[in-house]
Amino acid sequence: MQYSTNQKAQGEKNRYFACCRNNFRPDLLSRIALNDNKAGMEGLDRDKINKIILETSKGSRFYENELKKEQQVNQRIEKMMEQKARITKEMMKQAQAEVDKLTCELERSRELGRVIVHVDMDAFYAAVEMRDCPELKDKPMAVGSMSMLSTSNYHARRFGVRAAMPGFIAKKLCPNLVIVPTNFDKYRAVSAQVREIFSEYDPHFMPMSLDEAYLDLTEHMEQRKHWPETMRTYYICDAKTDRSTADAEKDELSPVLFEDSPSSSPSLSGADRKAEVFGTSAEEAVREMRFRIQQKTSLTASAGIAPNMMLAKVCSDKNKPNGQYRIPPERQAVMEFIKDLPVRKVSGVGKVTEKMLAALGIVNCDQLGQQMALLSLLFSGTSWHNFLHISLGLGSTCMERDSERKSMSTERTFGEMSDAEEQYSLCRDLCHDLAQDLQREGLKGKTVTLKLKNVKFEVKSRAFTVQYAVCTEEEIFAAAKDLLKVEIDSVSPQPLKLRLMGVRVSGFISAEDKKPLQRSIMGFLQKGGSDSGSFTQCAGSALKAEDDSDAAGCLKPPSTEMKVPSTDLSTTNTQSDTTSCLICPVCNKEMKDVNLTAFNSHIDECLKGSAMDNEPTGSDAPSTSISVPVEETDDGSDFKTPFFSHRTKINGKRTVIHKKKIPLSEPSSKASQTANSLDAVSKGLLLTCPVCSQPQSTDDLALFNRHVDMCLNQEVLLEFRESHPPVDHSDLALKGVRGSSPLPPSKKIKVLSTKHTIDKFFKGNTRQNI
DNA sequence: GGGGGAAGGACCA
DNA sequence: TTCCTGGTCCTTCCCCC
């Protein structure tokens, strides 16, 4: 598809006059009107569709709110235009110089060597439903409810029915529309099948949602070059394209067609089957992947192939449905593609940005590039850098893998709710659900945010940062209910009329601390420590960690969370874990690539051995010492726990739990008790638990070890309870983190930003080059 | 002035 | 009669150090 600027301008003009004829203000249309920026929606009678949408929406509270938002955007544009009027020639000259300089740098670092693919399933939810219910195939249908549609099939799109449109409006546009309720379990199952295929092309592919993903095929292409034809041959499934789920499941069981690595399936070479041989180019690899997806799921996918993620995403939309498009890895080809591309096609440019740019006469990426100096004076650095990337056809070439979750939330929309008791009850329900989700992922966060949408569609969020990271229903509710109370009180004696409530927890504590409370042997024995808390990293010896702790002595006292060193592994379920580097606490020997079972056996042996030749020699006797961390407390006293040193990050600040090494000869220490215990073992009598200090029978060292493990875990919990007394939120109520400053929700009118947000595609290497 | 919390908004699927 | 959900990131304001 070619984008013609002239056609587009003419279209805008026509729409403007059509609006005038219909007494609709054109500036309102941009929010309420049909967004036909979607495959299968080209050439629609927009005026007719918009008229229906507006007539259906007009007068509703939603419409009124949209109107208000639209006016806010218009004000932003006015401000921007005033700012533009103040720009001098000199300012433009300087700005241009800066733009040129940055452009040169970006051009120098342009990377064209990666083969990035964006795969997007066509009308995914609708396609799954049509596959499983063939009678829907020829009807306009959508998935969702009368309130909101998730997606629509291509028949429905011809009527202007699309995702994110309320069902009742869709019904006005297309009275014969069939609305099917969502069935996420089914979509997830299909998505898993598709992802299985993705992983064969890029094991580290980046899923964006159930129906789309980015893949880096660079490595695959290298290998593929040397593949014989048999490895690129796939057999065509004769199954009906509209087969039922049962058929699909049957197919799934077929090793011939669907468990389809030709190399590992010699039976595939049956001559009676129709085969398709794919080539070695990127286009062929992607065509093969799409073919396999279709064979396995009976669903089609579209794909874009480009040197970066931004372009790949745009490309996947180019030949939708069931098509693909490639931008060759050459600068000229990229620039040619970008030239006429409407800015709105770029992911990250939404309707507000589109409108603001349009006010400056910028519709396509070519114009975006030409106006960059002006944009650099009107938008924030982040925003115009983003625009510059787009105009140069640059995007991330480095997929951000394993990025950590920042927040977790749950929200619910409902009919008007005015009763306070009901609202508190709902709030608790939400907290309950959220707590379950948080605990499922082992997350704890310090900021609780309550989101409210009133019946006028006005959204408010109120946040409160608690002193300790929370994850239970009670803890979250304690904070959320106070936030809710303030809102209810603020409109009293009128009722607070809500249509949505949500609760969010963010500000997660570090990766290491957000794991369950139980501290594993792995955590104790890990050499040194690492910010990430990963056991597989070897960041320095246990002795070195002692130095670290000294160095960290000048740091602020560790936050109380630090008293809960934790990992996700318990001492009893670690057998499958192999670590790159461990250090035995008894003999201090480094052990590489050892699994925990073997490591535990080694410690047992060492304990026996140490017991036999128990010869404590003071601090120079690492073989018979254990580490006891010392956590500084406010009164300067030591806080001892039987843990090894442990470093973590809280809110970006690195903190270290201090570790003090205590030789066995040191009296009155748990370590010396261990020494005594070892001595006892040597005498075959009893062993004193280093944690609870109780003598234990020593007939069986394994039993003794289990006892110590249990004690350790109990002590962790005890310390956790001591250091985390139940938070009485009624005391903390709305004090916020700034101490005396009362939280309450600011009633001030926010100055609207005239800045744009950054496109997430530019977080990779390229962005760092700026 | 910088860091960080709060609030609100843009954008995405 | 009816306009979602869950997530990320950005921007601005404001307080504190």
Side-chain angles (χ1 to χ4, degrees):
Chain A
M1 182 177 55
Q2 288 297 314
Y3 305 103
S4 157
T5 312
N6 288 340
Q7 275 173 5
K8 174 102 187 175
Q10 189 59 46
E12 296 288 343
K13 214 161 124 186
N14 290 343
R15 273 198 289 286
Y16 179 86
F17 288 118
C19 291
C20 295
R21 278 197 302 278
N22 292 322
N23 293 324
F24 296 133
R25 287 172 52 195
D27 58 349
L28 299 183
L29 270 177
S30 71
R31 285 197 85 83
I32 315 278
L34 173 75
N35 173 5
D36 60 2
N37 180 31
K38 190 124 186 113
M41 303 193 78
E42 301 82 11
L44 299 185
D45 185 349
R46 279 187 53 149
D47 294 337
K48 189 180 155 196
I49 292 169
N50 282 332
K51 192 164 180 251
I52 296 171
I53 293 174
L54 281 165
E55 277 169 358
T56 313
S57 306
K58 224 173 164 189
S60 70
R61 282 163 164 167
F62 175 80
Y63 177 86
E64 294 304 319
N65 191 252
E66 287 299 292
L67 212 71
K68 211 163 83 186
K69 286 200 267 184
E70 188 75 35
Q71 283 160 0
Q72 288 172 349
V73 174
N74 288 342
Q75 282 171 13
R76 284 173 62 180
I77 292 176
E78 272 173 38
K79 272 190 184 174
M80 183 179 73
M81 299 312 265
E82 285 169 16
Q83 212 180 327
K84 186 189 169 198
R86 290 195 293 270
I87 294 173
T88 62
K89 274 187 183 168
E90 187 54 35
M91 288 161 82
M92 279 294 275
K93 207 174 141 187
Q94 274 183 14
Q96 190 61 55
E98 195 187 345
V99 168
D100 291 344
K101 189 170 162 237
L102 185 52
T103 303
C104 281
E105 285 171 23
L106 290 174
E107 280 294 357
R108 267 203 300 274
S109 61
R110 184 190 286 272
E111 197 185 344
L112 294 162
R114 309 298 303 181
V115 182
I116 308 291
V117 178
H118 178 252
V119 185
D120 193 356
M121 299 298 291
D122 301 320
F124 186 52
Y125 300 168
V128 173
E129 296 299 340
M130 286 193 294
R131 180 195 72 176
D132 295 346
C133 185
E135 53 267 35
L136 290 172
K137 223 180 82 181
D138 300 317
K139 293 179 184 160
M141 63 85 68
V143 177
S145 67
M146 284 299 259
S147 299
M148 190 49 63
L149 302 180
S150 295
T151 190
S152 58
N153 69 3
Y154 283 80
H155 294 297
R157 290 185 193 183
R158 303 310 303 160
F159 293 87
V161 174
R162 59 158 296 160
M165 176 179 273
F168 70 93
I169 290 181
K171 276 277 195 186
K172 285 261 164 54
L173 290 170
C174 175
N176 293 326
L177 182 75
V178 180
I179 299 179
V180 178
T182 49
N183 183 347
F184 280 99
D185 286 341
K186 199 155 75 175
Y187 312 145
R188 267 191 286 272
V190 180
S191 181
Q193 290 182 310
V194 175
R195 288 179 184 187
E196 229 172 80
I197 295 175
F198 288 160
S199 65
E200 287 182 39
Y201 293 83
D202 176 7
H204 309 293
F205 74 93
M206 187 174 162
M208 300 302 290
S209 61
L210 287 181
D211 73 323
E212 68 173 283
Y214 288 96
L215 293 87
D216 185 342
L217 256 56
T218 317
E219 310 301 321
H220 173 84
M221 296 315 301
E222 272 304 306
Q223 294 165 11
R224 194 180 178 88
K225 277 196 297 201
H226 312 291
W227 280 8
E229 211 173 273
T230 50
M231 288 181 76
R232 294 179 272 109
T233 304
Y234 287 88
Y235 291 84
I236 295 167
C237 165
D238 288 330
K240 300 187 293 290
T241 50
D242 57 353
R243 65 212 167 123
S244 65
T245 308
D247 289 332
E249 281 167 5
K250 196 170 64 192
D251 286 342
E252 215 185 303
L253 298 174
S254 161
V256 177
L257 290 172
F258 300 110
E259 302 307 323
D260 42 12
S261 170
S263 56
S264 59
S265 306
S267 62
L268 278 174
S269 57
D272 53 331
R273 290 196 168 83
K274 212 169 144 192
E276 175 131 15
V277 182
F278 295 89
T280 54
S281 66
E283 283 96 331
E284 283 294 286
V286 171
R287 201 168 66 78
E288 175 189 288
M289 182 162 55
R290 291 178 40 243
F291 170 86
R292 292 178 62 190
I293 290 171
Q294 188 167 13
Q295 293 289 295
K296 193 163 188 173
T297 66
S298 291
L299 304 173
T300 61
S302 298
I305 313 160
N308 63 54
M309 291 168 75
M310 186 273 279
L311 293 173
K313 166 87 179 161
V314 180
C315 286
S316 68
D317 196 47
K318 190 96 169 151
N319 285 328
K320 240 180 183 312
N322 199 16
Q324 63 183 60
Y325 184 89
R326 184 186 191 191
I327 301 178
E330 296 145 16
R331 185 185 178 278
Q332 199 186 344
V334 169
M335 297 314 288
E336 191 60 35
F337 178 84
I338 278 295
K339 198 160 70 83
D340 294 325
L341 184 72
V343 285
R344 185 70 163 92
K345 289 273 176 187
V346 179
S347 184
V349 177
K351 53 190 168 191
V352 173
T353 312
E354 180 190 30
K355 192 172 179 182
M356 292 185 75
L357 291 174
L360 296 168
I362 298 167
V363 176
N364 62 36
C365 294
D366 192 34
Q367 294 161 337
L368 191 71
Q370 286 168 16
Q371 299 288 339
M372 202 52 67
L374 176 64
L375 294 173
S376 75
L377 294 168
L378 296 176
F379 289 80
S380 71
T382 315
S383 300
W384 78 262
H385 287 168
N386 183 25
F387 292 147
L388 182 58
H389 276 81
I390 294 171
S391 70
L392 293 170
L394 296 169
S396 177
T397 55
C398 167
M399 291 188 202
E400 227 186 301
R401 308 183 201 278
D402 306 326
S403 58
E404 275 192 20
R405 177 193 277 277
K406 306 285 193 304
S407 66
M408 187 181 267
S409 64
T410 185
E411 62 189 62
R412 230 169 276 167
T413 296
F414 35 81
E416 180 175 326
M417 185 188 282
S418 312
D419 180 63
E421 285 311 307
E422 226 180 319
Q423 290 167 349
Y424 282 120
S425 169
L426 172 69
C427 183
R428 182 176 272 284
D429 286 350
L430 290 166
C431 293
H432 172 80
D433 292 350
L434 183 56
Q436 282 192 330
D437 291 346
L438 286 166
Q439 286 163 25
R440 201 174 299 127
E441 292 200 23
L443 295 167
K444 295 170 74 133
K446 296 176 82 177
T447 302
V448 177
T449 304
L450 181 73
K451 178 179 171 181
L452 302 172
K453 191 191 274 182
N454 64 22
V455 289
K456 292 178 178 171
F457 286 84
E458 292 164 340
V459 179
K460 265 184 191 172
S461 62
R462 296 289 179 256
F464 177 46
T465 300
V466 295
Q467 205 176 348
Y468 308 108
V470 297
C471 70
T472 67
E473 175 187 335
E474 285 306 322
E475 292 166 333
I476 302 167
F477 182 63
K481 78 169 189 320
D482 288 338
L483 293 167
L484 178 59
K485 184 173 186 298
V486 171
E487 291 308 303
I488 291 173
D489 290 349
S490 72
V491 293
S492 178
Q494 297 299 315
L496 182 65
K497 295 179 180 176
L498 299 178
R499 73 178 327 278
L500 173 146
M501 190 188 290
V503 182
R504 171 182 303 256
V505 168
S506 57
F508 293 133
I509 50 180
S510 70
E512 194 163 276
D513 284 344
K514 69 192 175 194
K515 303 269 174 61
L517 304 180
Q518 206 173 43
R519 176 77 169 171
S520 76
I521 188 83
M522 286 299 295
F524 303 143
L525 305 177
Q526 177 66 23
K527 276 180 66 179
S530 73
D531 289 344
S532 68
S534 164
F535 296 149
T536 56
Q537 288 173 6
C538 186
S541 73
L543 289 171
K544 173 71 169 55
E546 188 180 358
D547 300 333
D548 287 346
S549 68
D550 292 337
C554 58
L555 293 174
K556 282 182 182 177
S559 106
T560 42
E561 280 90 24
M562 299 300 300
K563 291 175 187 167
V564 199
S566 56
T567 75
D568 57 350
L569 301 169
S570 77
T571 50
T572 54
N573 65 354
T574 51
Q575 290 174 352
S576 62
D577 292 277
T578 300
T579 60
S580 60
C581 189
L582 289 170
I583 186 163
C584 171
V586 184
C587 70
N588 239 19
K589 183 182 167 190
E590 278 186 25
M591 298 180 72
K592 289 186 177 161
D593 299 325
V594 62
N595 71 33
L596 277 182
T597 312
F599 186 57
N600 280 334
S601 304
H602 168 87
I603 295 174
D604 285 345
E605 287 306 311
C606 270
L607 282 171
K608 283 180 196 166
S610 296
M612 294 316 232
D613 53 39
N614 177 26
E615 292 175 355
T617 55
S619 59
D620 293 329
S623 64
T624 48
S625 65
I626 77 163
S627 295
V628 177
V630 180
E631 203 172 285
E632 288 179 349
T633 53
D634 289 337
D635 60 5
S637 61
D638 287 349
F639 176 88
K640 293 182 183 181
T641 52
F643 303 142
F644 284 72
S645 68
H646 166 68
R647 188 187 301 163
T648 189
K649 250 184 177 174
I650 289 185
N651 291 335
K653 285 178 193 159
R654 200 174 70 163
T655 321
V656 177
I657 285 189
H658 298 249
K659 187 192 75 168
K660 186 176 170 188
K661 207 154 185 235
I662 303 169
L664 295 183
S665 57
E666 186 172 319
S668 306
S669 70
K670 287 173 181 173
S672 68
Q673 288 158 8
T674 303
N676 295 337
S677 306
L678 295 172
D679 192 42
V681 169
S682 69
K683 292 170 186 161
L685 298 172
L686 51 82
L687 199 56
T688 305
C689 169
V691 183
C692 71
S693 304
Q694 296 299 311
Q696 300 295 315
S697 162
T698 59
D699 291 345
D700 182 346
L701 269 179
L703 268 178
F704 174 74
N705 280 340
R706 267 206 292 282
H707 166 85
V708 175
D709 284 344
M710 282 172 63
C711 276
L712 284 172
N713 289 332
Q714 278 175 9
E715 184 150 319
V716 173
L717 287 169
L718 192 65
E719 281 158 9
F720 173 68
R721 288 190 187 120
E722 283 169 4
S723 58
H724 293 67
V727 180
D728 182 356
H729 291 281
S730 59
D731 290 333
L732 297 172
L734 306 182
K735 284 179 189 159
V737 283
R738 290 179 211 151
S740 58
S741 86
L743 208 167
S746 127
K747 297 283 182 296
K748 62 182 176 286
I749 297 166
K750 271 192 82 78
V751 178
L752 284 163
S753 158
T754 53
K755 311 288 170 65
H756 173 51
T757 57
I758 186 172
D759 176 2
K760 62 185 168 191
F761 291 132
F762 299 100
K763 288 186 299 184
N765 291 341
T766 323
R767 175 155 289 286
Q768 288 163 15
N769 291 332
I770 299 175

